[in-house]
Amino acid sequence: MTTVIDGKQVAASVIDAVKTASQALKDQAGVKTGLAVVIVGNDPASHAYVSSKSKMAKECGFTSVQHTLPEETTQEDLAALVQTLNKDETLHGILVQLPLPKHFNSEAIIQSILPEKDVDGLHVVNAGKLATGDLDGGLVSCTPAGAMVFVKRTHGEDLSGLNAVVIGRSNLFGKPMAQLLLAANATVTIAHSRTKDLAAVCRNADILVAAVGRPEMVKADWVKPGATVIDVGINRIAAPEKGEGKSRLVGDVAFDECAKVAAVITPVPGGVGPMTIAMLMANTVIAAYRKAGKTAPKF
Ligand code: GUN
């Protein structure tokens, strides 16, 4: 029988642990965890994401601050806001929602966030700590951290002897995901658009992680029988069967056919998606523990 991972349920268990940790920090050190979320412009999808992040922060017992800035905000104004948030002792995490409007130099903004408050794990200091295997010193990007929770709940902490293939080499996901798998002793291949015979490479994977942004690209005959398949794609495609002009969400994996071959698989929606916000909350409470000089919980 194939196990279909319930991302909402796993995310809820992480959120429960975050709530317990934030309450304990309040009780033991008198510190209330704080998260600032910044959004610039009018993109409706980004506004929806940011609202759920701010709302979840409140549910976790955090101070939750949201800065909603107009499209015409300048680089200097946003940089000044980041500096103010960097200095604010009541805030332990800062997230600037991406993408920023086109006139911004996003990289400069992201790199100006203090690494210890970079709960998105995008600062080069955090990327570097992950690359050197210092998992307890830095903050790990939320989506790979969430995907890794599934991998560890399936295979345990030690992936010795297992082949893992990550399709996609982005800084936001593919590279950090590969580093996390490597840190857990997997034998890791990063595949991408220039990889020769991608299907054959994937068929070698005990753990196959797809993050390419191409709807249902991974087919059943790419999957090793009994593999764990983690789908990080979110693609909106036309769904004429639901009516004219309707659409639906699919991942990078052709779910129905791959579910027949895999032992464990994540759905889209309801797989990795809900984990991203959960791991953002986890990173924020971790940052608060460290600032208070306490050993941070693990999630
Ligand atoms: N936009 C889409 N996903 C993310 C994310 O994980 N972090 C930020 N900052 N922006 C995003």
Side-chain angles (χ1 to χ4, degrees):
M1 263 297 287
T2 308
T3 301
V4 179
I5 292 178
D6 183 346
K8 278 192 193 158
Q9 198 185 345
V10 180
S13 77
V14 171
I15 291 294
D16 272 348
V18 169
K19 286 179 184 168
T20 306
S22 76
Q23 187 60 48
L25 189 62
K26 234 181 261 171
D27 295 344
Q28 291 163 20
V31 172
K32 187 173 181 192
T33 303
L35 173 66
V37 180
V38 180
I39 179 162
V40 185
N42 306 314
D43 179 59
S46 290
H47 273 271
Y49 284 132
V50 162
S51 307
S52 32
K53 288 170 185 177
S54 297
K55 191 167 150 239
M56 185 61 85
K58 283 197 192 95
E59 275 182 41
C60 289
F62 299 176
T63 299
S64 174
V65 179
Q66 185 175 325
H67 290 269
T68 305
L69 305 180
E71 180 88 16
E72 54 278 10
T73 302
T74 63
Q75 179 87 17
E76 292 68 32
D77 286 346
L78 182 56
L81 174 60
V82 171
Q83 287 315 318
T84 305
L85 300 174
N86 275 342
K87 288 188 198 116
D88 188 331
E89 298 272 325
T90 67
L91 297 172
H92 307 99
I94 303 169
L95 179 139
V96 177
Q97 184 69 15
L98 300 173
L100 286 168
K102 285 201 179 64
H103 63 278
F104 280 97
N105 176 348
S106 302
E107 196 53 25
I109 295 292
I110 295 300
Q111 300 306 329
S112 74
I113 297 172
L114 279 177
E116 58 268 33
K117 292 192 178 190
D118 166 41
V119 282
D120 248 340
L122 298 179
H123 197 285
V124 290
V125 166
N126 285 318
K129 285 187 176 172
L130 178 58
T132 54
D134 177 9
L135 296 186
D136 296 329
L139 291 163
V140 179
S141 179
C142 304
T143 305
M148 202 60 194
V149 170
F150 293 155
V151 170
K152 290 197 166 176
R153 289 195 183 190
T154 303
H155 294 278
E157 293 287 318
D158 185 2
L159 308 178
S160 292
L162 295 174
N163 292 327
V165 173
V166 180
I167 323 174
R169 54 176 160 174
S170 67
N171 290 334
L172 245 169
F173 184 82
K175 284 178 199 161
M177 185 73 216
Q179 307 279 13
L180 286 170
L181 290 160
L182 187 62
N185 301 321
T187 302
V188 182
T189 303
I190 304 178
H192 47 78
S193 55
R194 305 294 176 92
T195 298
K196 201 169 147 187
D197 201 351
L198 186 53
V201 172
C202 292
R203 266 196 300 277
N204 190 38
D206 302 297
I207 300 164
L208 179 60
V209 185
V212 270
R214 293 185 53 182
E216 300 179 316
M217 186 176 86
V218 175
K219 308 295 185 203
D221 65 353
W222 296 30
V223 177
K224 181 177 174 177
T228 296
V229 178
I230 310 280
D231 190 350
V232 186
I234 304 179
N235 311 286
R236 190 164 283 285
I237 62 166
E241 72 280 4
K242 286 168 66 179
E244 205 186 306
K246 298 278 186 199
S247 64
R248 65 190 173 98
L249 289 178
V250 297
D252 293 346
V253 174
F255 180 85
D256 290 342
E257 58 181 89
C258 291
K260 295 190 178 114
V261 186
V264 176
I265 190 165
T266 64
V268 175
V272 173
M275 291 301 286
T276 300
I277 290 186
M279 299 319 288
L280 174 66
M281 301 303 136
N283 275 349
T284 308
V285 84
I286 287 170
Y289 268 74
R290 288 184 185 154
K291 182 76 174 43
K294 300 219 162 258
T295 306
K298 289 196 194 303
F299 295 93

PDB file of all heavy atoms in Angstrom, residues 49 53 95-99 120 122 143 172 276, ligand 1:
ATOM      1  N   TYR A  49      -0.539  34.825   0.977  1.00  0.00           N
ATOM      2  CA  TYR A  49       0.511  34.109   1.717  1.00  0.00           C
ATOM      3  C   TYR A  49       0.876  34.854   3.001  1.00  0.00           C
ATOM      4  O   TYR A  49       0.997  34.281   4.079  1.00  0.00           O
ATOM      5  CB  TYR A  49       1.793  33.966   0.884  1.00  0.00           C
ATOM      6  CG  TYR A  49       1.754  32.925  -0.200  1.00  0.00           C
ATOM      7  CD1 TYR A  49       2.181  33.219  -1.494  1.00  0.00           C
ATOM      8  CD2 TYR A  49       1.313  31.625   0.055  1.00  0.00           C
ATOM      9  CE1 TYR A  49       2.151  32.276  -2.507  1.00  0.00           C
ATOM     10  CE2 TYR A  49       1.289  30.673  -0.948  1.00  0.00           C
ATOM     11  CZ  TYR A  49       1.707  31.005  -2.224  1.00  0.00           C
ATOM     12  OH  TYR A  49       1.678  30.069  -3.214  1.00  0.00           O
ATOM     13  N   LYS A  53       0.728  33.917   7.010  1.00  0.00           N
ATOM     14  CA  LYS A  53       1.934  33.894   7.859  1.00  0.00           C
ATOM     15  C   LYS A  53       1.702  34.733   9.126  1.00  0.00           C
ATOM     16  O   LYS A  53       2.009  34.289  10.238  1.00  0.00           O
ATOM     17  CB  LYS A  53       3.144  34.432   7.077  1.00  0.00           C
ATOM     18  CG  LYS A  53       3.646  33.466   6.011  1.00  0.00           C
ATOM     19  CD  LYS A  53       4.678  34.085   5.077  1.00  0.00           C
ATOM     20  CE  LYS A  53       5.037  33.105   3.969  1.00  0.00           C
ATOM     21  NZ  LYS A  53       5.983  33.651   2.977  1.00  0.00           N
ATOM     22  N   LEU A  95      10.805  38.584   7.696  1.00  0.00           N
ATOM     23  CA  LEU A  95      10.586  37.979   6.384  1.00  0.00           C
ATOM     24  C   LEU A  95      10.119  39.051   5.417  1.00  0.00           C
ATOM     25  O   LEU A  95       9.150  39.745   5.691  1.00  0.00           O
ATOM     26  CB  LEU A  95       9.525  36.881   6.479  1.00  0.00           C
ATOM     27  CG  LEU A  95       9.209  36.190   5.155  1.00  0.00           C
ATOM     28  CD1 LEU A  95       9.049  34.700   5.359  1.00  0.00           C
ATOM     29  CD2 LEU A  95       7.976  36.758   4.500  1.00  0.00           C
ATOM     30  N   VAL A  96      10.848  39.217   4.322  1.00  0.00           N
ATOM     31  CA  VAL A  96      10.418  40.124   3.251  1.00  0.00           C
ATOM     32  C   VAL A  96       9.859  39.237   2.143  1.00  0.00           C
ATOM     33  O   VAL A  96      10.585  38.417   1.558  1.00  0.00           O
ATOM     34  CB  VAL A  96      11.599  40.975   2.724  1.00  0.00           C
ATOM     35  CG1 VAL A  96      11.134  41.842   1.562  1.00  0.00           C
ATOM     36  CG2 VAL A  96      12.174  41.835   3.845  1.00  0.00           C
ATOM     37  N   GLN A  97       8.563  39.380   1.892  1.00  0.00           N
ATOM     38  CA  GLN A  97       7.921  38.493   0.923  1.00  0.00           C
ATOM     39  C   GLN A  97       8.475  38.734  -0.479  1.00  0.00           C
ATOM     40  O   GLN A  97       8.618  39.872  -0.919  1.00  0.00           O
ATOM     41  CB  GLN A  97       6.396  38.715   0.954  1.00  0.00           C
ATOM     42  CG  GLN A  97       5.597  37.795   0.053  1.00  0.00           C
ATOM     43  CD  GLN A  97       5.584  36.339   0.519  1.00  0.00           C
ATOM     44  OE1 GLN A  97       5.936  36.021   1.661  1.00  0.00           O
ATOM     45  NE2 GLN A  97       5.185  35.449  -0.362  1.00  0.00           N
ATOM     46  N   LEU A  98       8.779  37.668  -1.173  1.00  0.00           N
ATOM     47  CA  LEU A  98       9.287  37.720  -2.549  1.00  0.00           C
ATOM     48  C   LEU A  98       8.199  37.207  -3.490  1.00  0.00           C
ATOM     49  O   LEU A  98       7.368  36.413  -3.066  1.00  0.00           O
ATOM     50  CB  LEU A  98      10.541  36.862  -2.670  1.00  0.00           C
ATOM     51  CG  LEU A  98      11.703  37.279  -1.756  1.00  0.00           C
ATOM     52  CD1 LEU A  98      12.823  36.255  -1.830  1.00  0.00           C
ATOM     53  CD2 LEU A  98      12.208  38.660  -2.128  1.00  0.00           C
ATOM     54  N   PRO A  99       8.144  37.591  -4.735  1.00  0.00           N
ATOM     55  CA  PRO A  99       9.043  38.563  -5.358  1.00  0.00           C
ATOM     56  C   PRO A  99       8.683  39.991  -4.974  1.00  0.00           C
ATOM     57  O   PRO A  99       7.522  40.312  -4.796  1.00  0.00           O
ATOM     58  CB  PRO A  99       8.786  38.326  -6.856  1.00  0.00           C
ATOM     59  CG  PRO A  99       7.385  37.804  -6.945  1.00  0.00           C
ATOM     60  CD  PRO A  99       7.144  37.046  -5.669  1.00  0.00           C
ATOM     61  N   ASP A 120      13.859  33.142   6.725  1.00  0.00           N
ATOM     62  CA  ASP A 120      13.715  32.540   5.395  1.00  0.00           C
ATOM     63  C   ASP A 120      14.945  31.721   5.011  1.00  0.00           C
ATOM     64  O   ASP A 120      14.918  30.991   4.019  1.00  0.00           O
ATOM     65  CB  ASP A 120      13.576  33.670   4.357  1.00  0.00           C
ATOM     66  CG  ASP A 120      12.202  33.731   3.735  1.00  0.00           C
ATOM     67  OD1 ASP A 120      11.481  32.726   3.790  1.00  0.00           O
ATOM     68  OD2 ASP A 120      11.863  34.791   3.190  1.00  0.00           O
ATOM     69  N   LEU A 122      17.726  32.770   3.718  1.00  0.00           N
ATOM     70  CA  LEU A 122      18.222  33.182   2.396  1.00  0.00           C
ATOM     71  C   LEU A 122      19.523  33.969   2.456  1.00  0.00           C
ATOM     72  O   LEU A 122      20.161  34.212   1.430  1.00  0.00           O
ATOM     73  CB  LEU A 122      17.149  34.022   1.678  1.00  0.00           C
ATOM     74  CG  LEU A 122      15.834  33.292   1.395  1.00  0.00           C
ATOM     75  CD1 LEU A 122      14.845  34.222   0.714  1.00  0.00           C
ATOM     76  CD2 LEU A 122      16.075  32.056   0.542  1.00  0.00           C
ATOM     77  N   THR A 143      10.973  25.797   2.975  1.00  0.00           N
ATOM     78  CA  THR A 143      10.392  24.708   2.173  1.00  0.00           C
ATOM     79  C   THR A 143      11.284  23.457   2.202  1.00  0.00           C
ATOM     80  O   THR A 143      10.776  22.355   2.467  1.00  0.00           O
ATOM     81  CB  THR A 143      10.081  25.179   0.739  1.00  0.00           C
ATOM     82  OG1 THR A 143       9.243  26.345   0.842  1.00  0.00           O
ATOM     83  CG2 THR A 143       9.360  24.116  -0.053  1.00  0.00           C
ATOM     84  N   LEU A 172      16.729  28.800  -3.605  1.00  0.00           N
ATOM     85  CA  LEU A 172      15.618  28.757  -2.646  1.00  0.00           C
ATOM     86  C   LEU A 172      15.280  27.349  -2.222  1.00  0.00           C
ATOM     87  O   LEU A 172      14.872  27.098  -1.098  1.00  0.00           O
ATOM     88  CB  LEU A 172      14.375  29.370  -3.300  1.00  0.00           C
ATOM     89  CG  LEU A 172      13.843  30.638  -2.707  1.00  0.00           C
ATOM     90  CD1 LEU A 172      12.779  31.247  -3.624  1.00  0.00           C
ATOM     91  CD2 LEU A 172      13.273  30.467  -1.313  1.00  0.00           C
ATOM     92  N   THR A 276       5.620  24.815   4.719  1.00  0.00           N
ATOM     93  CA  THR A 276       6.467  26.002   4.595  1.00  0.00           C
ATOM     94  C   THR A 276       6.174  26.997   5.717  1.00  0.00           C
ATOM     95  O   THR A 276       7.094  27.496   6.380  1.00  0.00           O
ATOM     96  CB  THR A 276       6.285  26.639   3.197  1.00  0.00           C
ATOM     97  OG1 THR A 276       6.650  25.667   2.232  1.00  0.00           O
ATOM     98  CG2 THR A 276       7.153  27.866   3.023  1.00  0.00           C
TER      99      THR A 276
HETATM  100  N1  GUN B   1       7.478  33.905  -1.867  1.00  0.00           N
HETATM  101  C1  GUN B   1       7.117  32.626  -2.109  1.00  0.00           C
HETATM  102  N2  GUN B   1       7.679  31.789  -1.229  1.00  0.00           N
HETATM  103  C2  GUN B   1       8.402  32.556  -0.383  1.00  0.00           C
HETATM  104  C3  GUN B   1       9.201  32.270   0.753  1.00  0.00           C
HETATM  105  O1  GUN B   1       9.368  31.126   1.185  1.00  0.00           O
HETATM  106  N3  GUN B   1       9.791  33.343   1.349  1.00  0.00           N
HETATM  107  C4  GUN B   1       9.635  34.605   0.890  1.00  0.00           C
HETATM  108  N4  GUN B   1      10.259  35.577   1.535  1.00  0.00           N
HETATM  109  N5  GUN B   1       8.906  34.907  -0.158  1.00  0.00           N
HETATM  110  C5  GUN B   1       8.285  33.892  -0.793  1.00  0.00           C
END
